[in-house]
Amino acid sequence: MAKYQLPPLKDEKLFEEFICDLFNVIENTNTYNNTDFQTFGVKGQNQKGIDVFSVQTKTVIQCKLKDTRKKDTELRKNLIEDITLDLEKIKDLKIGFERFILVSTFRDDAKLQEFVNEVRNQQNLLFHLYYWGWDTISKYAEQSEMILKKYFPEFKPKSVKPKVELPDGALGKDLSKKNYISYLIKRYGDWKQIELNRKNEKFNWASFNKHIMNEFKATGINYIDVRYFEKLVEYLNNRIDKTTFGRNRKAKDLKNYSTFDEFVNGVLVD
């Protein structure tokens, strides 16, 4: 039973990102920060009937944002047409899957649920086919404080979290050094994104952070041993310098980042 009557999202891209985050929470995937579910391609590319996918759980998802002000009969008819069309498109999909879920901002609907079951039986589909309406989506969204905070901040339940005490020698206990590392990480990600824009790709922040954690044997930036600070700075500086944008700036004798002392004193390189 829904507690907050969450309003359906009205932005198509935001809805896709919401569904991606939501399924990572629902499935509790074992990758870094639950990031196995990813959005598939970008707008303008042939998305072959899906918007979100997970290789680990063998699931593909199609997101259908609908204007819920329209009549139920019209929305139901549109969704039936969408399902029929998307089932044709996914025949060319090169990703193995066992579940195809169509999610919509339209409510849960018995006729649509009966339709997808009928289609699966009639076409002898080799995968499970589901329809999730907004009622089902909301039920799961309400169970995640992270989801509520990010997408529905006005419905975020108030709670007092116990303060997590960092161990002695943790980077997070030295705020200046921790903030400087965050500054360098953001610079690398932003400049790397400039290269990826040409390929219509997104920089994978989660993957990069995971690489850092593996490199410095920590569960998060705050938990990196402060003794590795200089080594971590050198590592990030090298990554920044090797970006296309970083190499071009160095060729012009321009600095790519502030030193730690400059950062502490508020001197930031553009």
Side-chain angles (χ1 to χ4, degrees):
M1 171 103 33
K3 293 185 292 184
Y4 303 119
Q5 293 185 331
L6 301 177
L9 300 177
K10 297 181 179 180
D11 179 87
E12 188 176 35
K13 185 60 179 175
L14 184 64
F15 182 47
E16 292 178 12
E17 293 174 356
F18 161 66
I19 292 298
C20 186
D21 285 343
L22 180 64
F23 271 80
N24 275 315
V25 171
I26 293 172
E27 299 289 353
N28 192 26
T29 49
N30 294 322
T31 49
Y32 180 73
N33 278 350
N34 296 341
T35 55
D36 191 70
F37 279 87
Q38 303 174 49
T39 53
F40 185 68
V42 296
K43 190 172 182 178
Q45 290 184 318
N46 180 3
Q47 293 180 289
K48 299 181 179 179
I50 69 168
D51 295 308
V52 176
F53 75 102
S54 163
V55 173
Q56 178 173 309
T57 64
K58 296 182 179 179
T59 302
V60 296
I61 303 170
Q62 176 60 281
C63 303
K64 295 297 181 182
L65 187 145
K66 297 296 181 182
D67 184 351
T68 53
R69 294 171 299 179
K70 295 181 179 180
K71 293 182 179 180
D72 286 0
T73 52
E74 182 180 354
L75 292 171
R76 188 180 297 114
K77 180 176 180 293
N78 288 340
L79 284 165
I80 288 175
E81 292 172 349
D82 290 337
I83 294 170
T84 303
L85 181 60
D86 290 333
L87 286 174
E88 285 298 315
K89 290 180 179 179
I90 61 172
K91 291 179 180 179
D92 296 326
L93 188 64
K94 305 301 182 184
I95 296 174
F97 63 94
E98 295 177 354
R99 294 189 300 173
F100 176 41
I101 305 174
L102 186 136
V103 298
S104 173
T105 50
F106 180 50
R107 60 174 172 77
D108 285 2
D109 185 79
K111 291 183 179 179
L112 283 170
Q113 291 163 338
E114 289 173 350
F115 172 76
V116 297
N117 186 61
E118 183 178 300
V119 168
R120 183 172 187 270
N121 292 333
Q122 288 181 349
Q123 298 188 17
N124 293 319
L125 300 179
L126 299 178
F127 52 87
H128 295 286
L129 179 63
Y130 302 97
Y131 168 75
W132 282 29
W134 188 252
D135 302 280
T136 296
I137 295 168
S138 295
K139 180 185 70 175
Y140 285 108
E142 290 175 3
Q143 296 173 15
S144 170
E145 184 174 346
M146 181 276 287
I147 293 292
L148 289 175
K149 181 178 180 180
K150 183 174 180 179
Y151 295 98
F152 308 97
E154 65 273 30
F155 295 97
K156 180 180 178 294
K158 294 181 180 179
S159 61
V160 178
K161 289 186 175 181
K163 185 176 180 181
V164 177
E165 186 66 29
L166 295 172
D168 291 337
L171 181 63
K173 281 201 166 184
D174 190 324
L175 193 58
S176 295
K177 290 182 177 178
K178 187 262 182 180
N179 288 342
Y180 181 60
I181 294 301
S182 296
Y183 155 76
L184 293 177
I185 289 174
K186 185 176 187 305
R187 170 133 302 187
Y188 171 70
D190 289 345
W191 286 12
K192 189 66 179 178
Q193 184 61 60
I194 295 174
E195 298 176 26
L196 297 175
N197 284 340
R198 301 172 185 173
K199 305 176 183 178
N200 287 324
E201 296 178 0
K202 283 185 178 181
F203 178 70
N204 193 327
W205 288 97
S207 177
F208 180 61
N209 283 333
K210 180 181 179 182
H211 181 76
I212 293 176
M213 297 314 112
N214 289 338
E215 184 76 17
F216 293 91
K217 298 178 176 58
T219 57
I221 292 176
N222 286 331
Y223 292 88
I224 294 176
D225 194 312
V226 73
R227 291 175 296 179
Y228 293 137
F229 174 70
E230 292 182 0
K231 183 178 179 181
L232 178 54
V233 169
E234 181 182 3
Y235 168 80
L236 292 170
N237 286 348
N238 288 335
R239 296 295 292 257
I240 294 169
D241 289 338
K242 289 178 180 178
T243 63
T244 301
F245 194 63
R247 291 197 303 269
N248 290 340
R249 285 176 61 91
K250 288 192 73 173
K252 298 175 183 178
D253 291 327
L254 296 174
K255 293 181 65 175
N256 284 338
Y257 35 75
S258 302
T259 64
F260 175 61
D261 289 338
E262 289 172 336
F263 178 82
V264 171
N265 292 308
V267 181
L268 299 179
V269 172
D270 293 332

